[in-house]
């Protein structure tokens, strides 16, 4: 697959369709893959990588890239196409300046899941018939592929590319997923248990802003948390309140816009399950205002910019679940 | 739950200018009683209330926040309160998800004619918040009154 | 050498924590260790390192500096400093131990940062030698021997026993304070364990990373390098690298209005942030390229220039595993290296 | 540094009895920035206002806080006072310590504490108030009326009468609308054409009125006082300026089998046609769906017979653009088609007709020349059954939830006319209720029952079944007698629900006005602003706003005209300065604000900016039209970056109030 991508990218560079390629670059190890822009065939041959460990959603980079001279080729996994579409919808990406090739999605492997099995000194990871063969400084280790699946791929919502100019590999379908399982589990806890759960999680936050800065929905020119004029700016949580505040407001600002790409939880250095906050909003929106998938199209009205005269009252919160 | 008789909660009420603020005025005109814990902030429309304001109130020491607007369909700006309803439903649901007590927040539709309702709503809300006691789950310790 | 058997380690922790606050690394979840205040029964993490570095103990992420109160037209300033209590950090790795030396150079040189010094004076650093380094480790690049860590007292594990080597006056006091629990032991197996670890270090993928191309005298060529554009291209401008880094020491000072008083506090800042060192006139570094360059120039050029050639990196590898886009100091060094 | 004056009103004893006003003034005097804090018996009185004015001058105040009654009461009073003393009126804030404090609390201590807190919140807010100036926007002195029925005609005539240019856009070839199709009107039974056609002529002859018939609104841009509307004049293949309306072409046209819309398809017309004798403009129109020349290129008879040379087969749709200060919507209604109601056999039994079809059947200009005959066999019907509420007051999806309002009365009219003209005919009316609130309405209905012996039966018609002998079996229930009935009828007339015209919804989108779920236009306020839409400068006339009979329609049409005239009289409009504004440096251009704006006040433009990294970039940014924005603030919350803020109720002002209350 990687070879097919490189081949096609080189063709599109050569025939002048595009002048750049947005992809990924290999690093020092097998897993430290960095999003990168390639300009020549040589660079692609030397450094381009797209394998089981390539997780990053590159759609956010296209905001800037689509405003540069010439057209750029973007290789997008199914989940990335939702982010891309949402950004087109919000006039952030200039669609005409991007040539989109839909590429197959995951499930991707997350190195952290391997390291969590107390496997260290990892030199290489190979997928051999759904068993991972891991070469380490301390010898060879194996583990089942599925145990190393990235959190963002665990409840894949769709294998369908919602936008593309051409495909490499086949297009898939929107999947039935049980992605709200954990949200439901929390909803069924008591308020005290939920409070304890989130305090435990959010108190780990170091406010590195990785979740925000990687998020394809967080594309504000200037985030309210960075803007002294907003009145709520802060750099570090000086009190537990500010940990809550940051994550509540961030989730609220992306509610109805979050495509559930899972990047926030993937990049969190403290492993906070931030995607649960977004999924809570998605679940509520789906159940209260009708199924809505952000990024599925570029024309629908976002649920928070819309209403129905017979919407439920907020008191519904009191009627559901457990306090 | 035990009610602490000495606990006087701080209650912030956001009221839309056209209906609820007028409703609050009417309950005054009719000399209807509700606790002085309730302090009203006038906003043009309930849809002006940003979730940030609600969180800010809790941060700075509020024990309960109530938002009042025109009845759905009666918005002076025709649709503002419909947006409010969605936003606030989701916000309150999220606060609930984080384990914040449900009764600390409320949304009520009070028309300019419903002075009695305004007073009744405020009486009930203050009583509910008193039952909960001081806001501890969504407070900023730095702002706690010693 | 004085030792304690692995089985009795928790007894030792109980004894230390009875006298002063003790922090040890524990597993919050697999592959995610953090320093926690010891409570009886807590298990020492087997992880190589913690996610957050140990710098938090001396340079916490947020710290109140002073309170202001308005009284009519007067402003009352309250000094809220309190003497720190004595505490012990157990299980600090060699890289983090070296980072304290780097932080000392910043905070303990004139004018001395009294908040930092207060904590530093009261903290005893008990380090733990590494036996099982990871592929992301490159401390040897900066002349650190992870098998013989610095710190007030170093602890070595040979698989059965923990051996204690006091290295400073504070360390000696610490060992004395627990001497009744320790016994003299045979350290012969230890040398073998250390040798084994050193051999692994030599075989690590980053073992050959060199600092030859860096240092205070390389300012202009490195600053002007055309590689920065490529290197910084994917940087998302978050502060992960900075906040997990044991040597990053930049902070911002802010005021918080509680309604009754102003609390002046400082908090970590990151040179990756767009408002870093923003002043009245604006921001000296306006692009992510400049901000990105600042971080690495600081560690590899500016810091050694001002500190007798000492680099501002200890090779702990945290940024290698935590950067959301996997860009890090090793990639920067390799790209800028003069071969 | 701010210099704020605080003025605490006693309001006689209204405030002073429960609030220690001196203590409030004293406490607020210590607040940051407050340079003077006074109390007074009646702050709103002449001398009270002078106190404020003098303090503004004497202390060079930058802000004023009045602790008094509700701002809904005297905010304007104090703003004016401030303005007269040279302080921007928007630098005044009111702390409501009467309605929301002294009148509701009995305990002096707690009421005083609360008054102080409310005062502090107002002081905190006024610190952040900015002087605001109401903008002005010019008014184009021309109105557009969309729809040329009786509502549109009346509105246009009234506006023209006041001396303003007004254009009517009518999608049909003639104005007149539904009223032109009606035979007689209730409750006076005068002839509809006799009262309508003079008005149509008056409109045509009025110099101030321009009629764009056979035209549609294609695009609307702009805002109150300054709309730019594109009107599509559909090709009618006849040069309006040349056609004399002689009708020769319609006589000679060989294509004579076109269903005649004006007569509800009950008879036929030619391919080139004039809808009815009194049509305005009296100009022929060629129907391209049937014209042999336009379809096959063979015929050309009309062109040959036209002495004026008005026929133009090459005519195309034409777009014209015009500026207007006000727009009146008068798009009217249509009866629904009852073909979804299988039980009424409408779709397959020709003798089951709708009420509007009955109007044509009875009309002298109708298909039968005014004699009521069954459509199927042209015989005289002896038993006629009227069914009320067909599709009105319906719970299911086939019909409408609302009452169509006019059916009860026109059915009484039909029943009475039939009994009058054909006394041998039995007339049955099945109804849920008979609703006759209106001047002389109930008397009219009672006349039908009592004098004309119309059989009113409270009950529902269950099934209408055409029989082999040409009769119709009407199976119904009589709820009062509690029995099932079978009526052997000759004709059945369905009082079908009325619904807004189909063109209304796309039009509402263009106008950024709102509609209810039934596609009726929503008025700005259901009680107090019934002829205005929520969008400034757009007014509502007639049944497009809800079901109405003719007198109501005409009344509303004149009311809408009055509102439009009120607007057109002004040379410019003063805008409310408490409007939203966007910080362009912060704006993402994501369109969230535009989506929630009920007024269409937000537009986007691509602008070049110098970015923080000294590069230049073209960015899409929002801008708010202050003449259109009403200041609700919906956009400020929809905006994630906080670029959108509201004058007078800014984020920082509201948060300052929150802080002051909570501390």
């Amino acid at each position: 697959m990687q070879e097919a991508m490189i081949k096609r990218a080189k063709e599109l560079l050569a025939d002048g369709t595009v002048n750049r390629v947005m992809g990924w670059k290999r690093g020092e190890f097998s897993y430290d893959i960095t999003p990168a822009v390639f300009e020549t065939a040589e660079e692609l041959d030397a450094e381009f990588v797209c394998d089981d460990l390539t997780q990053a959603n590159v759609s956010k980079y296209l905001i800037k890239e689509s405003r540069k001279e010439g057209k750029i080729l973007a290789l997008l996994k199914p989940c990335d196409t939702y982010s891309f579409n949402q950004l087109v919808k919000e006039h952030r990406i200039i669609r005409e300046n991007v040539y989109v090739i839909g590429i197959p999605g995951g499930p991707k492997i997350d190195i952290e899941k391997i390291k969590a099995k107390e496997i260290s000194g990892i030199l290489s990871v190979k997928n051999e018939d759904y068993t991972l063969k891991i070469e380490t400084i301390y010898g060879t280790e194996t583990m089942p592929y599925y145990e190393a699946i990235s959190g963002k791929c665990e409840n894949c919502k769709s294998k369908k590319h919602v936008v593309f100019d051409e495909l490499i590999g086949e297009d898939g379908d929107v999947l039935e997923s049980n992605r709200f399982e954990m949200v439901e589990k929390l909803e069924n806890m008591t308020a005290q248990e939920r409070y304890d759960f989130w305090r435990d999680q959010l108190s780990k936050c170091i406010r590195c802003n990785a979740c925000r800065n990687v998020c394809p929905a967080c594309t504000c020119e200037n985030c309210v948390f960075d803007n002294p004029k907003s009145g709520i700016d802060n750099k570090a949580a000086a009190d537990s309140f500010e940990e809550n505040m940051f994550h509540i407001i961030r989730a609220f600002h992306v509610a109805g816009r979050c495509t559930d790409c899972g990047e926030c939880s993937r990049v969190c250095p403290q492993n906070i399950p931030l995607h649960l906050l977004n999924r809570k909003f998605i679940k509520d929106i789906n159940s209260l205002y009708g199924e809505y998938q952000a990024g599925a199209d570029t024309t629908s009205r976002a649920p928070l910019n819309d209403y129905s005269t017979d919407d439920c009252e907020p008191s519904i919160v009191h009627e559901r679940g457990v306090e | 739950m035990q009610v602490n008789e000495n606990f006087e909660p701080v209650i912030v009420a956001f009221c839309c200018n056209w209906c609820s603020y007028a409703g609050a005025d009417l309950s005054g005109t009719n000399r209807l009683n509700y606790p002085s814990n309730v302090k009203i902030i006038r906003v043009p429309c309930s849809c002006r209330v940003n979730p940030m304001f609600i969180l800010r109130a809790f941060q700075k020491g509020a024990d309960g926040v109530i938002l009042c607007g025109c009845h759905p369909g009666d918005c002076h700006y025709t649709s503002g309160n419909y947006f409010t309803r969605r936003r606030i439903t989701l916000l309150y649901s999220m606060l609930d998800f984080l384990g914040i007590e449900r009764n600390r927040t409320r949304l009520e539709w009070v028309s300019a004619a419903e002075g009695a309702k305004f007073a009744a709503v405020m009486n009930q809300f203050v009583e509910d918040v008193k039952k909960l006691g001081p806001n501890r789950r969504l407070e900023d310790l730095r702002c706690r009154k010693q | 050498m004085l030792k304690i058997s692995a089985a009795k380690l928790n007894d030792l922790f109980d004894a230390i924590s009875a006298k002063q606050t003790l922090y040890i690394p524990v597993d919050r979840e697999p592959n995610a260790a953090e320093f926690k205040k010891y409570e009886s029964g807590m298990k020492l993490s087997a992880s190589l390192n913690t996610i957050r570095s140990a710098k938090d103990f001396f340079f916490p992420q947020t710290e109140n500096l002073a309170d202001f109160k308005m009284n009519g037209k007067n402003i009352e300033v309250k000094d809220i400093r309190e003497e720190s209590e004595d505490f012990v950090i157990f299980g600090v790795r060699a890289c983090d131990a070296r980072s304290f030396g780097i932080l000392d150079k910043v905070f303990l040189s004139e004018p001395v940062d009294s908040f930092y010094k207060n904590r530093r004076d009261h903290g005893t650093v008990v380090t733990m030698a590494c036996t099982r380094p990871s592929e992301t480790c490159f401390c040897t690049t900066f002349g650190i021997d992870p098998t013989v860590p610095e710190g007030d007292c170093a602890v070595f594990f040979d698989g059965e026993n923990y051996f204690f080597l006091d290295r400073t006056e504070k360390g000696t006091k610490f060992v004395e304070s627990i001497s009744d629990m320790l016994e003299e032991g045979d350290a012969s197996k230890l040398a073998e364990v250390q040798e084994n670890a050193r051999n692994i270090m030599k075989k690590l993928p980053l073992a050959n990373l060199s600092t030859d191309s860096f240092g205070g005298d390389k300012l202009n060529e490195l600053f002007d390098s055309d590689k920065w554009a490529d290197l910084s291209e994917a940087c998302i401008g978050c502060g992960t690298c900075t906040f997990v880094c044991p040597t990053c020491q930049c902070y911002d000072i802010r005021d918080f209005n509680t309604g009754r008083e102003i609390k002046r506090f400082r908090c970590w800042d990151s040179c990756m942030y767009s408002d870093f060192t923003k002043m009245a006139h604006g921001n000296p570094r306006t692009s992510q390229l400049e901000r990105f360059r600042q971080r690495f120039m600081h560690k590899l050029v500016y810091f050694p220039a001002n500190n007798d050639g000492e680099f501002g990196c200890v090779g702990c590898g945290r940024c290698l595993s935590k950067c959301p886009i996997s860009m890090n100091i090793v990639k920067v060094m390799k790209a800028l290296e003069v071969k | 540094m701010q210099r704020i004056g605080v003025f605490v009103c006693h309001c006689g004893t209204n405030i002073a009895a429960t609030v220690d006003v001196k203590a409030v003034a004293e406490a607020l005097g210590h607040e940051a920035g407050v340079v003077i804090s006074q109390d007074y018996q009646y702050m709103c009185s002449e001398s009270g206002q002078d106190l404020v004015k003098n303090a503004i001058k004497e202390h060079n105040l930058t802000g004023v806080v009045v602790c008094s009654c509700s701002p809904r009461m005297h905010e304007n009073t104090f703003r004016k006072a401030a303005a007269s003393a040279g302080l921007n009126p928007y630098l005044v804030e009111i702390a409501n310590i009467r309605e929301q404090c002294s009148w509701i609390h009995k305990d002096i201590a707690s009421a005083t504490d609360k008054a102080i807190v409310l005062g502090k919140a107002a002081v905190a807010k006024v610190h952040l108030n900015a002087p605001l100036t109401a903008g002005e926007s010019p008014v184009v002195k021309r109105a557009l009326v969309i729809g040329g029925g009786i509502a549109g005609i009346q509105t246009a005539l009234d506006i023209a009468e006041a001396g303003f240019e007004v254009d009517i856009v009518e999608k049909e070839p003639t104005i007149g609308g539904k009223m032109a199709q009606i035979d007689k009107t209730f409750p006076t039974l005068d002839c509809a054409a006799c009262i309508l056609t003079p008005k149509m002529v008056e409109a045509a002859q009025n110099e101030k009125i321009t009629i764009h018939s056979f035209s549609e609104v294609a695009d609307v841009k702009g805002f109150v006082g300054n709309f730019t509307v594109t009107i599509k004049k559909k090709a009618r293949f006849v040069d309006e300026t040349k056609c004399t309306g002689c009708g020769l072409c319609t006589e000679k046209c060989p294509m004579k089998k076109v269903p005649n819309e004006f007569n509800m398809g009950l008879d036929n017309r030619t391919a080139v046609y004039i809808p009815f004798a009194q049509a305005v403009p009296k100009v022929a129109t060629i129907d391209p769906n049937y014209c042999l020349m336009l379809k096959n290129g063979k015929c050309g008879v009309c062109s040959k017979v036209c002495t004026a040379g008005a026929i133009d087969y090459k005519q195309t749709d034409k777009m014209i653009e015009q500026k207007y200060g006000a727009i009146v919507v008068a798009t009217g209604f249509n009866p629904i088609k009852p073909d979804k109601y299988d039980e009424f056999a409408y779709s397959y039994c020709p003798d089951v007709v709708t009420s509007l079809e009955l109007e044509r059947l009875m009309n002298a200009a109708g298909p039968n020349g005014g004699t009521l005959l069954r459509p199927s066999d042209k015989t005289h019907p002896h038993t006629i059954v009227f069914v009320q509420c067909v599709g009105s007051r319906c719970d299911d999806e086939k019909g409408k939830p609302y009452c169509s309002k006019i059916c009860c009365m026109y059915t009484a009219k039909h029943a009475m006319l039939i009994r009058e003209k054909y006394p041998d005919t039995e007339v049955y009316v099945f109804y849920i209720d008979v609703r006759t609130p209106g001047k002389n309405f109930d008397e009219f209905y009672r006349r039908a029952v009592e004098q004309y012996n119309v059989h009113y039966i409270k009950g529902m018609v269950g099934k209408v079944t055409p029989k082999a002998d040409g009769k119709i079996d009407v199976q119904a229930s009589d709820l009062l007698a509690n029995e099932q009935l079978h009526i052997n009828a000759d004709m059945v007339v369905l009082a079908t629900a009325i619904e807004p015209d189909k063109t209304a919804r796309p039009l509402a989108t263009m106008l950024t006005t709102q509609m209810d779920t039934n596609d009726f236009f929503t008025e700005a306020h259901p009680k107090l602003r019934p002829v205005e839409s929520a969008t400034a400068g757009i007014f509502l006339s007639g049944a497009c706003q809800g079901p109405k009979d003719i007198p109501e329609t005409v009344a509303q049409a004149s009311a809408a005209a009055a509102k439009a005239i009120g607007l057109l009289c002004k040379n410019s409009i003063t805008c409310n300065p408490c409007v939203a504004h966007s910080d362009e440096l912060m704006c993402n251009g994501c369109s969230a604000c535009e989506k929630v704006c009920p007024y269409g006040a937000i537009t986007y433009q691509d602008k070049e900016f110098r970015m923080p990294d000294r590069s230049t970039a073209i960015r899409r940014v929002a801008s708010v039209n202050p003449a259109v924005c009403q200041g609700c603030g919906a956009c400020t919350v929809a905006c994630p970056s906080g670029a959108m803020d509201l004058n007078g109720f800014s984020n920082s002002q509201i948060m300052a109030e929150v802080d002051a209350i909570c501390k």
Side-chain angles (χ1 to χ4, degrees), chain A residues 64 67 89-92 217 219-224 227 229-232 252-254 257 299-302 304-307 309, chain D residues 514 517 583-597 611 613 618-620 637-642 651-652 655:
Chain A
K64 266 203 171 144
R67 280 153 208 275
K89 178 178 180 174
E90 292 174 9
H91 308 275
R92 305 294 280 153
T219 64
C220 284
E221 294 288 324
N222 193 347
C223 176
V224 287
N227 176 7
K229 280 193 235 160
S230 76
I232 61 160
F252 189 82
H253 280 177
V254 301
R257 304 165 56 231
T299 50
S300 61
R301 249 181 127 89
L304 273 172
N305 296 339
D306 200 6
Y307 64 86
T309 50
Chain D
Q514 287 168 344
T517 49
D583 181 340
E584 290 180 339
L585 288 176
M586 225 64 92
C587 175
N588 305 324
C590 72
S591 282
C593 52
E594 176 204 26
K595 296 281 188 305
V596 299
C597 179
M611 302 302 285
D613 63 359
I618 309 253
R619 289 174 44 228
R620 182 177 194 267
V637 184
C639 178
S641 68
N651 286 334
S652 56
M655 283 197 273

Side-chain angles (χ1 to χ4, degrees), chain A residues 193-219:
Chain A
E193 285 167 340
R194 281 198 298 272
Y195 177 74
D196 293 342
F197 173 86
W198 281 112
R199 220 48 315 283
D200 196 36
Q201 291 297 341
L202 295 180
S203 64
K204 300 191 302 199
C205 177
I206 56 172
R207 267 306 288 285
C208 64
N209 293 319
C211 51
R212 181 192 73 184
N213 290 16
V214 82
C215 174
C218 273
T219 64

